[in-house]
């Protein structure tokens, strides 16, 4: 929506004893686009993503059920998503700790004075990545809920493309991504039980779907940005007209609506920035030879992930502060 994925290089790559890391913030999508109380508490993120509580989804009347009543699976998913959101929210702090540990370790790697510090933080960075990897076991059902309910669109929009992109490209991609990630994780952590699993290959394929998710997230966010800007322009025209008419009631309410609209626009712009920070790492980890001949070096790769981590925290804090 963005979790962290642990990526191991080939066993014979002694120059990189610590595993490479990949972050997947699928669950960290922006559901409320800046209005935390309006949508949900999904990892969502308010995404990280921040974010508030997911409103129970109400499906159209089903002839096989009572009018307006959701079916059993939708009632279960509506209850499950707020529960899992608490886990995803905690992940944001882990993400900052993880990439900050890497940054300090990388900066002190050539200093004999801080050799122990660098080594220790490098180990911590790897451990946290595995912890965040495990947290992604919550992702599959959250993706299924988003696909069935359309909640990943983050509300109702005039442009119907937004809902379609959120459902099919974003939630749909994650429905494939998570099982592949679990298979890769099993191959890395339980090789004796998953002998036939090529973990690196499964991980690369999963990242192809993560890349699709990021493209969809950017696309949907861009369309939301256009729509919000159009509505903001109309709102300002109405506000200017009411000022001429000296409508005191409107002069009280409309500025509040303008502030809310500006907050949503800021949130969506930050979401697009996060997608741009994610896209090159995603492509890097999608390549078949990502472990032996990566597209990006350690500094640009993890540097982008570090920048995204702090951008996501800023996005969340701004959403909470309004």
């Amino acid at each position: 929506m963005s979790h962290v994925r642990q990526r191991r290089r080939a066993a014979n790559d002694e120059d990189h004893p610590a595993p490479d890391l990949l972050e997947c913030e699928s669950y960290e999508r922006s559901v409320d686009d800046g209005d935390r109380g309006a949508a949900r508490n999904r990892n969502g993120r308010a995404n990280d993503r921040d974010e508030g509580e997911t409103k129970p989804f109400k499906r159209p009347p089903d002839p096989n059920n009572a009018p307006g009543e959701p079916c059993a699976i939708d009632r279960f998913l509506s209850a499950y998503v707020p529960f899992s959101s608490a886990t995803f929210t905690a992940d944001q702090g882990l993400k900052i700790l993880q990439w900050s540990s890497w940054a300090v370790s990388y900066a002190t790697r050539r200093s004999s004075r801080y050799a122990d510090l660098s080594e220790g933080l490098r180990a911590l960075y790897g451990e946290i990545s595995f912890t965040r990897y495990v947290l992604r076991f919550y992702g599959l059902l959250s993706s299924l809920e988003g696909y069935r309910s359309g909640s990943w669109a983050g509300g109702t929009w005039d442009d119907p493309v937004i809902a379609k992109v959120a459902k099919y490209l974003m939630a749909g991609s994650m429905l494939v991504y998570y099982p592949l990630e679990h298979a890769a994780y099993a191959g890395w952590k339980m090789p004796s039980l998953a002998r036939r699993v090529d973990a690196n290959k499964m991980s690369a394929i999963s990242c192809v779907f993560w890349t699709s998710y990021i493209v969809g997230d950017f696309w949907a966010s861009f369309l939301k940005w256009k729509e919000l800007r159009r509505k903001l322009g109309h709102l300002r025209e109405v506000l200017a007209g009411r000022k001429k008419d000296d409508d005191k009631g409107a002069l009280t309410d409309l500025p509040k609506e303008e502030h809310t609209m500006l907050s949503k626009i800021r949130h969506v712009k930050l979401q697009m920035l996060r997608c741009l920070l994610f896209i090159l790492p995603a492509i890097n980890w999608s390549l078949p030879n990502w472990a032996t001949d990566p597209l990006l070096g350690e500094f640009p790769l993890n540097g982008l992930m570090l920048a995204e981590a702090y951008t996501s925290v800023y996005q969340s804090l701004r959403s909470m502060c309004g």
Side-chain angles (χ1 to χ4, degrees), residues 295-314:
L295 177 67
L296 300 177
E298 180 183 4
F299 180 75
L301 182 67
N302 288 358
L304 287 169
M305 300 306 295
L306 176 68
E308 190 284 328
Y310 278 91
T311 301
S312 71
V313 170
Y314 175 74

Side-chain angles (χ1 to χ4, degrees), residues 21-315:
L21 300 175
L22 161 71
E23 165 127 1
C24 179
E25 301 296 340
S26 60
Y27 64 86
E28 295 184 8
R29 55 197 168 63
S30 154
V31 174
D32 58 10
D33 297 308
D35 187 359
R36 290 174 59 89
R40 52 82 211 52
N41 182 27
R42 174 183 163 52
N43 123 69
R45 297 178 20 30
N47 157 292
D48 264 32
R49 235 180 213 341
D50 298 32
E51 285 103 306
E53 287 192 22
T54 304
K55 291 184 177 180
F57 169 67
K58 294 183 179 180
R59 301 182 65 84
D62 187 330
N64 297 319
N65 296 291
E69 287 294 321
C71 65
I73 187 173
D74 290 319
R75 289 196 298 270
F76 167 74
L77 292 173
S78 294
Y80 169 84
V81 172
F83 162 77
S84 64
S85 297
T87 300
F88 291 140
T89 302
D91 176 79
Q92 190 173 41
L94 291 176
K95 177 165 65 172
I96 288 296
L97 181 58
Q98 173 199 347
W99 294 109
S100 296
S101 296
W102 165 81
V104 176
S105 173
Y106 185 84
T108 58
R109 70 193 186 285
R110 292 192 174 93
S111 172
S112 58
R113 181 180 179 182
Y114 298 108
D116 291 342
L117 174 65
S118 180
E119 181 180 352
L121 290 178
R122 172 74 66 163
L124 177 63
Y125 145 81
E127 288 299 321
I128 295 174
S129 74
F130 269 121
T131 300
R132 297 191 65 212
Y133 201 107
V134 172
L135 292 179
R136 283 182 291 136
F137 279 94
Y138 288 97
L140 181 61
L141 291 181
S142 293
S143 301
L144 178 60
E145 187 278 336
Y147 184 85
R148 289 179 60 84
S149 72
S151 64
W152 284 24
T156 302
W157 301 88
D158 295 339
D159 190 343
V161 175
I162 295 174
K164 293 179 180 179
V165 170
K167 178 175 182 178
Y168 297 107
L169 189 54
M170 294 173 65
S173 293
M174 289 297 100
L175 284 174
V176 181
Y177 164 85
Y178 283 111
L180 290 170
E181 280 291 274
H182 301 334
Y185 183 69
W188 284 326
K189 301 297 290 183
M190 300 179 291
S192 61
L193 298 178
R195 295 186 179 88
R196 297 183 179 181
V197 174
D198 185 334
N200 286 350
K201 182 177 181 180
M202 289 295 101
S203 184
I205 297 174
S206 73
C207 280
V208 172
F209 290 93
W210 180 40
T211 302
S212 297
Y213 169 88
I214 295 170
V215 171
D217 195 3
F218 184 88
W219 184 7
S221 296
F222 178 73
L223 294 177
K224 291 176 183 179
W225 177 55
K226 289 179 59 179
E227 184 170 319
L228 289 170
R229 287 184 60 195
R230 184 178 67 252
K231 291 181 178 179
L232 178 62
H234 176 70
L235 181 63
R236 286 174 170 172
E237 290 179 0
V238 173
L239 181 58
R242 297 296 174 84
K243 286 182 178 179
K244 292 181 180 180
D245 298 335
D246 195 24
D247 187 337
K248 295 182 179 179
L251 292 179
T252 299
D253 296 334
L254 291 180
K256 294 180 180 179
E257 293 183 25
E258 181 182 25
H259 176 74
T260 299
M261 194 75 69
L262 288 171
S263 296
K264 291 183 176 182
I265 290 175
R266 179 184 62 239
H267 190 88
V268 170
K269 289 169 68 175
L270 288 170
Q271 192 69 21
M272 289 191 289
L273 174 59
R274 292 178 66 188
C275 290
L276 293 176
L277 292 171
F278 269 142
I279 192 64
L280 284 180
I283 293 174
N284 176 86
W285 283 310
S286 298
L287 300 177
N289 58 345
W290 65 264
T292 56
D293 185 21
L295 177 67
L296 300 177
E298 180 183 4
F299 180 75
L301 182 67
N302 288 358
L304 287 169
M305 300 306 295
L306 176 68
E308 190 284 328
Y310 278 91
T311 301
S312 71
V313 170
Y314 175 74
Q315 180 190 45

Side-chain angles (χ1 to χ4, degrees), residues 4-24:
V4 166
R5 37 186 304 128
Q6 172 81 35
R7 303 191 152 273
R8 290 187 172 178
R9 289 181 178 274
N12 60 354
D13 189 352
E14 297 179 356
D15 293 333
H16 299 272
D20 285 341
L21 300 175
L22 161 71
E23 165 127 1
C24 179

